[in-house]
Amino acid sequence: MKEVPAKTPSMTGQTTPSDDLFTTDVSGLPEASPPQVIRLSDGDQLDLTIAPVRKHVQDADLRMLGYNGSIPGPTLHVDQGSEITVHVTNAGDVEATVHWHGLRLENRYDGVPHETQSPIPIGGEFTYKVQFPDAGFYWYHPHIREDFGWEMGLHGTIVVEPSDPSYWPPADRELSLTVDDLLVEDGHVAPFHRSGPNYTAMGRFGNVMLTNGETTFSGEAAVGDVVRLYLVNTANTRIFDIALPGARMKLVGGDSGRYERETFVDEVMLAPSERAVVDVMFEHPGEVRLEHRTPDRTYDLGAFVVSGDSTGTARASFGSLRVDPALSAEHASIDADLERAPDKVLAFVASMPLLYGDDAAPATSYACPMHPDVTATEPGSCPKCGMQLLPVRDEKPAASSYVCPMHPEVTSSEPGTCPKCGMKLVPSEAPPPAPHENTGHEQHDERSDGLEWEDLMPEINRASEPGNMRWMLIDRQTGAENGAITWAFTVGDRVKIRLVNEMESDHPMHHPFHVHGAGRFLVLSRDGQAESNLVWKDTVLVRAGQTVDILLDVSNPGLWMAHCHIAEHAQSGMMFSFDVSRRDPAKASS
């Protein structure tokens, strides 16, 4: 089974005006095609068109969006060190940009609206120059209304072939795989508001799993084949834990190139936007199931059918676990960075008036989440970035009987937090537990893994939007929040950033933290434990309650964004941009 139970109507009981909803009409739309694999050389041009398509999913024909008519978009194979031109035409349903995720390219082509470019209007065009300095696996997607664009199918993958032919271990063939989910209700993709995102509490969890855009993956292999899988999680919010029981898996690469040490693994966990490069050897004939595993269930995503004998030669060296000398040298050089104080401290915090504030009371003022200096006395949009202004409200006084919104079996007669997930208990209409009854604090001693694998509060999540659910990145050294953060670095800096996912928050939740192409980073430690196996990254998963130290190697000048890569969190303001200046040659030589 690949379905999660569909969500029920909004807990608010309110309806949305039809003119605020994106259309779901499929009349006259072309059927979505399978994605192409396109080989591009240095200097080549790719024409990329964003347009609506009709996608058949289970028993429904859905209006979705594709790059060049396919979901996912074309897989691009390019050479390390090359540059291509991509001419984008927007025939979609909303303004657009294309962000080249993970690439350290020229800043003006990074695809951030109002910062590196003007949005591409519907019917408009834009031309990107895309450079590929690093070998590895990358992807492209919109950076306007990410919640809408990603869910509707706008994502494609990029394989950057290394200039060193021995960079990766031998493989007989390779395959790019996107793992995703889609929320389908009443024969349509669940409604999106034109005015702004919904499902902002936890992000939009889907009830249909998709692998390379299909509900059932089907692959083939021969006995003895070594198949390289380039994996990326393109979901809005869902974490995937990918396994292939019955085959041997070797983790060789991550976000931006190879690991310090290759390792045999049973499964690979990917937060939204994270990538992994996994070599898989199929040793026996039959079916090898592709699975997504959570603590409570296993999703069957499809299978490889294994038959015949391999004519490849990669299996001869599959048992070898190689070491990357450059990353080993990095590992030997970062002891001082492990011990020193962080240069920056960034906290992840939630404010949830939907549960803990007086959401019904009228707001007295409105502010932009990206530009807090932009305020108004009435609802509207920010003239600087176009984001919806958020209401500023007072918090509501607490009541006397309490329950966890995610774990309703956890109850208490006093205010507190849930021992399972850390969320603040909310006032309940139910009578408080009798003195002789065990409260939730006493009944439940199981500890959370700091991850939200499913939507455990669907009614609340559906009712959440930027006006009643606010996600914040807070600079703990200055107090600045989201777009008010004003970090500035210089090319050549090595910046230690401490990421603190605070439990003292209205909704402690994991966050995949992504840094655009200012550089790339190493994870130094998690909760004080040094990272044992390094890999260059652009996204790191920070669990609820966890502290992660990263070392950002700043190498690319420009104005660069950093944000949570849960689409609804980013779109509701959990982002900021920072400046990177070129190093003064005179100072560099002195």
Side-chain angles (χ1 to χ4, degrees):
M1 292 288 293
K2 294 177 285 298
E3 292 190 30
V4 185
K7 310 299 183 263
T8 55
S10 170
M11 62 180 289
T12 64
Q14 297 176 346
T15 59
T16 301
S18 59
D19 59 358
D20 187 43
L21 299 179
F22 283 101
T23 181
T24 59
D25 184 21
V26 297
S27 301
L29 295 182
E31 185 174 353
S33 59
Q36 292 181 296
V37 176
I38 301 177
R39 186 67 174 87
L40 295 164
S41 299
D42 185 39
D44 283 353
Q45 175 170 316
L46 171 70
D47 292 325
L48 199 65
T49 299
I50 301 166
V53 293
R54 185 180 74 254
K55 174 78 173 170
H56 190 74
V57 176
Q58 296 179 335
D59 295 326
D61 283 328
L62 307 178
R63 182 188 181 96
M64 298 185 70
L65 293 168
Y67 288 118
N68 287 1
S70 68
I71 299 174
T75 294
L76 312 182
H77 279 253
V78 298
D79 294 322
Q80 183 180 5
S82 67
E83 177 181 289
I84 64 171
T85 300
V86 182
H87 185 73
V88 177
T89 300
N90 181 18
D93 294 335
V94 68
E95 290 181 325
T97 66
V98 179
H99 170 56
W100 309 93
H101 186 113
L103 295 178
R104 296 188 291 167
L105 77 175
E106 192 177 347
N107 182 242
R108 60 178 167 157
Y109 299 122
D110 190 47
V112 176
H114 307 288
E115 289 192 352
T116 67
Q117 70 171 94
S118 297
I120 309 171
I122 298 172
E125 301 176 349
F126 190 86
T127 299
Y128 296 87
K129 298 285 189 180
V130 186
Q131 301 92 29
F132 307 97
D134 306 303
F137 187 45
Y138 306 91
W139 65 300
Y140 56 95
H141 59 73
H143 226 291
I144 290 179
R145 285 305 302 268
E146 297 97 317
D147 60 311
F148 176 68
W150 302 347
E151 179 83 348
M152 294 294 282
L154 289 177
H155 48 262
T157 59
I158 305 169
V159 177
V160 182
E161 304 286 359
S163 53
D164 176 3
S166 65
Y167 184 84
W168 297 118
D172 298 314
R173 58 190 181 89
E174 54 189 36
L175 178 65
S176 170
L177 285 182
T178 63
V179 289
D180 200 356
D181 65 355
L182 182 66
L183 184 58
V184 180
E185 296 177 342
D186 302 323
H188 304 286
V189 176
F192 283 93
H193 300 169
R194 292 183 179 273
S195 57
N198 50 11
Y199 296 92
T200 55
M202 300 174 71
R204 179 180 286 233
F205 281 88
N207 54 15
V208 178
M209 302 294 148
L210 298 175
T211 306
N212 275 1
E214 301 300 325
T215 56
T216 302
F217 169 77
S218 179
E220 296 180 350
V223 175
D225 268 353
V226 176
V227 179
R228 176 159 300 136
L229 299 183
Y230 293 100
L231 299 169
V232 57
N233 180 352
T234 59
N236 281 27
T237 192
R238 185 181 294 275
I239 294 170
F240 280 87
D241 196 34
I242 300 299
L244 284 158
R248 295 179 68 192
M249 298 173 61
K250 182 166 65 172
L251 180 63
V252 299
D255 283 355
S256 187
R258 58 188 178 184
Y259 269 90
E260 176 187 359
R261 291 179 291 102
E262 298 171 355
T263 54
F264 291 114
V265 296
D266 295 323
E267 54 201 19
V268 176
M269 187 169 68
L270 297 172
S273 89
E274 284 191 304
R275 285 93 67 207
V277 184
V278 181
D279 287 355
V280 182
M281 187 166 78
F282 297 92
E283 298 181 289
H284 308 288
E287 278 193 341
V288 174
R289 308 305 301 182
L290 180 66
E291 295 179 348
H292 161 45
R293 297 173 173 177
T294 80
D296 296 320
R297 66 176 292 183
T298 296
Y299 293 88
D300 183 1
L301 304 180
F304 283 91
V305 176
V306 184
S307 62
D309 293 322
S310 175
T311 58
T313 60
R315 62 180 146 181
S317 58
F318 183 79
S320 299
L321 296 175
R322 306 185 315 162
V323 177
D324 179 271
L327 279 169
S328 294
E330 286 281 0
H331 209 150
S333 70
I334 61 174
D335 287 347
D337 293 306
L338 281 166
E339 297 300 325
R340 70 181 176 92
D343 301 303
K344 301 292 182 182
V345 179
L346 193 67
F348 303 169
V349 180
S351 174
M352 200 170 187
L354 175 63
L355 289 180
Y356 306 114
D358 185 5
D359 191 51
T364 57
S365 63
Y366 298 80
C368 173
M370 278 286 291
H371 302 96
D373 56 307
V374 176
T375 60
T377 57
E378 297 181 354
S381 59
C382 175
K384 291 185 177 181
C385 67
M387 287 195 68
Q388 186 180 17
L389 301 184
L390 303 183
V392 179
R393 306 180 191 272
D394 296 326
E395 293 190 358
K396 179 169 63 176
S400 58
S401 180
Y402 302 88
V403 63
C404 174
M406 286 185 63
H407 301 96
E409 70 276 12
V410 176
T411 59
S412 176
S413 58
E414 297 179 352
T417 58
C418 174
K420 287 187 172 183
C421 66
M423 282 195 71
K424 293 179 183 178
L425 304 184
V426 297
S428 171
E429 295 180 359
H436 66 276
E437 293 178 353
N438 287 332
T439 67
H441 294 73
E442 296 165 345
Q443 300 181 47
H444 305 285
D445 56 1
E446 57 190 285
R447 291 178 178 238
S448 167
D449 60 4
L451 304 174
E452 294 183 8
W453 294 94
E454 307 284 357
D455 189 346
L456 297 182
M457 49 179 191
E459 302 299 332
I460 294 169
N461 193 24
R462 178 185 293 274
S464 62
E465 44 86 23
N468 59 34
M469 176 77 226
R470 187 166 182 227
W471 289 105
M472 290 168 284
L473 296 167
I474 303 177
D475 182 343
R476 282 301 182 204
Q477 293 157 315
T478 67
E481 299 177 4
N482 292 340
I485 295 173
T486 56
W487 291 358
F489 307 126
T490 302
V491 169
D493 287 348
R494 304 265 281 189
V495 185
K496 182 176 181 179
I497 304 172
R498 178 159 293 165
L499 307 172
V500 184
N501 196 347
E502 297 189 356
M503 292 299 289
E504 293 297 318
S505 174
D506 284 355
H507 182 193
M509 180 181 176
H510 65 263
H511 296 282
F513 180 71
H514 172 54
V515 180
H516 283 216
R520 50 188 183 170
F521 62 78
L522 300 171
V523 176
L524 293 174
S525 65
R526 304 174 197 257
D527 288 333
Q529 297 297 310
E531 193 81 347
S532 61
N533 194 12
L534 299 181
V535 64
W536 288 111
K537 292 185 67 62
D538 56 68
T539 306
V540 62
L541 176 62
V542 187
R543 298 171 185 242
Q546 189 177 47
T547 296
V548 176
D549 286 351
I550 65 173
L551 186 66
L552 177 63
D553 181 41
V554 181
S555 59
N556 206 5
L559 180 64
W560 300 102
M561 182 167 279
H563 60 88
C564 174
H565 217 282
I566 292 174
E568 290 75 15
H569 293 182
Q571 191 59 36
S572 60
M574 200 176 187
M575 61 177 77
F576 67 97
S577 294
F578 60 93
D579 283 301
V580 175
S581 59
R582 297 181 185 274
R583 185 166 294 279
D584 186 336
K587 292 182 180 180
S589 60
S590 61

